[in-house]
Amino acid sequence: METREKVLEELNQSLPSYVSEKIKYASDTSFSNDQKMLTKLKEMKRIAEDTYFQVEFLGTDYAKIRNWIFIQQAKFMVDVEDDYPQVISPVFFYSWNYDSLRVPELRTYFTWRSKIRKGEYPKIFSGYLLIYFAELINLIGADSVLDAYSKLKKILEVYWNDIEEVYFRQILVIALKDFMVNYAIPVSYNDILPRLLSTTDWETYQARIKIVQGDYRGLLTYLDKQASYKVKKSKFYESTYGYFIEEAIPTVFEHLSRYFAEHNADFKALVLGKMHTISDYPLFRQLPYVEQRENYENKIDFSPIEQYTFQKKICNKKMFMESPNLRVVMGIILKMVEIRIREKTNYKRKLTLTLKDLGKISIQRKVLLPLVEDDAFIETIVKAVDLFLDEKMKQLKEEALIKRRQSVVIDKDSFQNIRESTVRIQEKILTEEEKTDTSIQLEPSSSPSTLESASSLIPEQDSELEMGMDILVDHLTSFEKKILNNIINGASRNELETIVKEEAQLLEVVLEDINLKALDYIGDNLIEDLGDQVNIYEDYWKELQIVLHSGKEKN
């Protein structure tokens, strides 16, 4: 059986030889009488018809055949210029080939292409950008690889804000990145991705790089987004010591890594994620591309979390993938970190942790499950937080001491008086000690591994008045109270969604509104959304049930 390459080579030799011809069409030529352009377009379309007629019986790879046809058509039209006088024809479908376009759309495209080649960038429907990208990734209409790259980048920079379709943006960004990888463009991902990705996507990309590199600083935004427990929505996070949560993460992860290693497990791989290899990764998978290099071999590290290896036209991709248990386990870790810091800072409201409330760990993770369910897992987090807080308080005291020293100005004239006063105070203290003959006893320090240890930190003070659960319930609508009663009674997420649909509302919006009111009146979130299940936090469940029930009796 003949190989695909052999079939394509024979087809290429058997088809008519098309020669590019530079054609200029005046804008005063009417569309109906512009026979020269119509003839050119018909000849271009016939390339596809002739090819499909010959390959119909071969049973070969039609996707590859379509790509090959596009390349032949693009070469045939590479120098065509047009000046179509009609209104721009819209493109409302996802397309990258000429055959899917009608004649007015084709003339619109070639007119637009003629203008951008002259440095003009008129408004255009986003679908036309796909065709232009498809030409350039195959180096058609470009003098070199770097020339094609600069043209691709320019189009994205100019038209980025005009591309309303998220799908189009994804195709174009991936195509530019694949182009850089495929042709080994010597440009750092830091120079290109921040301008192409959304702020959120870029932050996620950077966070994953940090994880791969073992740098766990500044990860809270990323982890909070992935975790089942949203620590950044907690009232405590906005308090004086709320920033301790993020600063404690590196110490906590370091201790958990050792805990996992003691049990022959990898904390980073099991909880956060690791690099995975995708064999035979298709570059330009959403646009037509025909490899023009033979037996190309190379290794390209696009970034620390994207690595590509080429061997004989086959591309393998190695990339970072999040652990399937990141959501649940990170929810446990973040909530336990907050609980411990609340305790050590004497925060007015306490939290409790119930592992089952945060979701289920995949039963396939037989190594991970016993490690997380063991009491030693929570104890490790507690010890790590205590160690962090001890070091943090030393740091804060040292900084405060330095500031006091810098603010003290010694008056030489009064130095002697200060010294004499100090001596008198010291003598008085000694006299008092002699009278009482009582030694000062220090309280024994509590074990840092227990949740009941006394706080060595300054108690957290909240300037806001704590209003209570009854005030919160008074400010809820009757519909919000109905939702809370259903949650208390164990309603599933599907049942809750059915209830809110009857009121033409979205469940997520209703839950968020209730939590916002809870933050105002009890200083914390009330509802925990776990995806399949929606719960009331255990700390407030009983109190809320009593207040809601008493409200019913009053009514």
Side-chain angles (χ1 to χ4, degrees), residues 407-425:
S407 64
V408 172
V409 179
I410 297 179
D411 184 355
K412 293 182 180 180
D413 295 334
S414 60
F415 179 77
Q416 186 61 31
N417 292 333
I418 296 173
R419 184 176 181 183
E420 291 173 359
S421 298
T422 304
V423 172
R424 286 198 299 272
I425 293 171

Side-chain angles (χ1 to χ4, degrees), residues 52 82 172 193 206 214 240 277 295 312 354 390 403:
Y52 277 121
D82 200 358
L172 298 177
L193 290 186
Q206 289 178 302
T240 304
T277 299
N295 299 323
K312 297 181 179 179
T354 304
D390 289 344
K403 288 181 180 179

Side-chain angles (χ1 to χ4, degrees), residues 78-141:
V78 65
D79 289 327
V80 168
E81 295 182 5
D82 200 358
D83 194 0
Y84 185 43
Q86 308 299 320
V87 177
I88 293 178
S89 296
V91 175
F92 295 113
F93 49 87
Y94 304 137
S95 173
W96 47 255
N97 60 55
Y98 307 115
D99 288 335
S100 62
L101 300 182
R102 298 175 295 114
V103 171
E105 293 163 353
L106 285 169
R107 295 207 59 190
T108 294
Y109 170 72
F110 289 115
T111 298
W112 170 77
R113 193 183 71 174
S114 299
K115 291 181 179 179
I116 62 173
R117 286 180 175 179
K118 297 175 182 177
E120 303 173 20
Y121 296 90
K123 295 285 185 181
I124 194 72
F125 286 92
S126 304
Y128 291 108
L129 302 180
L130 299 181
I131 302 177
Y132 189 58
F133 258 60
E135 292 176 359
L136 290 175
I137 64 175
N138 290 284
L139 305 182
I140 295 172

